[in-house]
Amino acid sequence: MDDTGNLELEEFLLKQLDAGNDVMLFDELSGFLTALAICPVQIPTETWMSHIWSPKGDPASTPAFQDDAEADRVAGLILDYQGWIISSLDGNREDHPQFEIDEITGDVIWESWIEGFSCGMHLAHPFWLSAYEYGDEQVRYAVGTMINLHGIAHDASNLPEKTRESAAALAPELITAFVPLLYQYGRSTEAQELPAATMLKKVGRNEPCPCGSGKKYKKCHGA
């Protein structure tokens, strides 16, 4: 996907946000599609795409496109970007993940990316829980780190203050290192053999939310 397509998609998302729609921004979308690329279970396009337009995946929140041509164009841009991410991960290239840079401070803004990644984890939470429980030491550490970074971004982490500060400072490097590792795990025989139905089962409303916030599902992503 070329930069022109990226910019067009980013501009569309910004316009939706300006119009009062709670859509993902481009960085969130990048993290979201990356998490979906890692998971070995193919989630229906209409299911995951609805979460781009609404945090709860409400089909009624689909943007009011000007016409069918615009709807098809935007969907095509999203699918093209998804394909670019998969191609980048397949080739183990160094151009993904990418983060926004604060123009004033020069700081890397990783929080939006991890927000989208967490949403992608949520859609296939049993796979991620299985990876955390049954993966090797590196995989378990990588999954745990991603969950903790989401909690840190939301100021909802129970980690010691110094640990939180250290993880936040290293977040871009940690994410960049762990995404290829997790992608390779998702392509492994071990992950491929996990039952699809088990990986996509629903979360009980009183169970902890898979996003790692520490809240019950009914008070977080299931609200």
Side-chain angles (χ1 to χ4, degrees), residues 17-28:
L17 187 67
D18 290 341
N21 298 321
D22 193 11
V23 302
M24 288 185 181
L25 292 181
F26 193 77
D27 273 11
E28 288 180 74

Side-chain angles (χ1 to χ4, degrees), residues 90-154:
D90 278 335
N92 198 25
R93 300 200 305 262
E94 296 181 358
D95 53 0
H96 185 76
Q98 298 174 333
F99 307 100
E100 185 179 353
I101 305 296
D102 189 299
E103 295 180 357
I104 298 176
T105 65
D107 292 339
V108 177
I109 304 174
W110 56 271
E111 291 86 349
S112 294
W113 192 96
I114 203 69
E115 178 68 21
F117 190 87
S118 176
C119 183
M121 294 177 79
H122 163 69
L123 286 185
H125 60 277
F127 161 70
W128 291 97
L129 292 177
S130 294
Y132 185 69
E133 291 180 5
Y134 304 115
D136 62 28
E137 185 176 356
Q138 284 186 314
V139 169
R140 294 197 303 271
Y141 183 71
V143 174
T145 298
M146 293 298 203
I147 293 172
N148 282 326
L149 287 176
H150 180 257
I152 291 169
H154 280 263

Side-chain angles (χ1 to χ4, degrees), residues 83-95 180 183-184:
W84 179 88
I85 288 173
I86 293 172
S87 175
S88 178
L89 293 172
D90 278 335
N92 198 25
R93 300 200 305 262
E94 296 181 358
D95 53 0
Y183 184 73
Q184 291 304 316

Side-chain angles (χ1 to χ4, degrees), residues 21-87:
N21 298 321
D22 193 11
V23 302
M24 288 185 181
L25 292 181
F26 193 77
D27 273 11
E28 288 180 74
L29 178 62
S30 178
F32 178 64
L33 295 178
T34 301
L36 296 183
I38 291 170
C39 178
V41 175
Q42 186 174 359
I43 298 172
T45 302
E46 61 271 18
T47 298
W48 61 257
M49 200 169 283
S50 66
H51 284 264
I52 298 173
W53 313 127
S54 164
K56 298 178 184 177
D58 182 4
S61 297
T62 301
F65 296 105
Q66 294 179 3
D67 49 35
D68 289 344
E70 183 184 48
D72 291 342
R73 173 63 178 168
V74 172
L77 290 172
I78 292 171
L79 293 173
D80 284 349
Y81 188 44
Q82 181 189 43
W84 179 88
I85 288 173
I86 293 172
S87 175

Side-chain angles (χ1 to χ4, degrees), residues 141-202:
Y141 183 71
V143 174
T145 298
M146 293 298 203
I147 293 172
N148 282 326
L149 287 176
H150 180 257
I152 291 169
H154 280 263
D155 197 24
S157 173
N158 294 323
L159 294 173
E161 182 178 359
K162 288 186 177 180
T163 303
R164 294 197 305 270
E165 292 176 352
S166 177
L170 293 172
E173 290 83 0
L174 292 171
I175 293 170
T176 300
F178 289 149
V179 163
L181 171 70
L182 292 170
Y183 184 73
Q184 291 304 316
Y185 173 75
R187 296 297 174 273
S188 68
T189 302
E190 178 183 0
Q192 293 283 345
E193 290 178 350
L194 291 173
T198 300
M199 284 194 278
L200 295 178
K201 67 181 180 181
K202 293 184 177 180

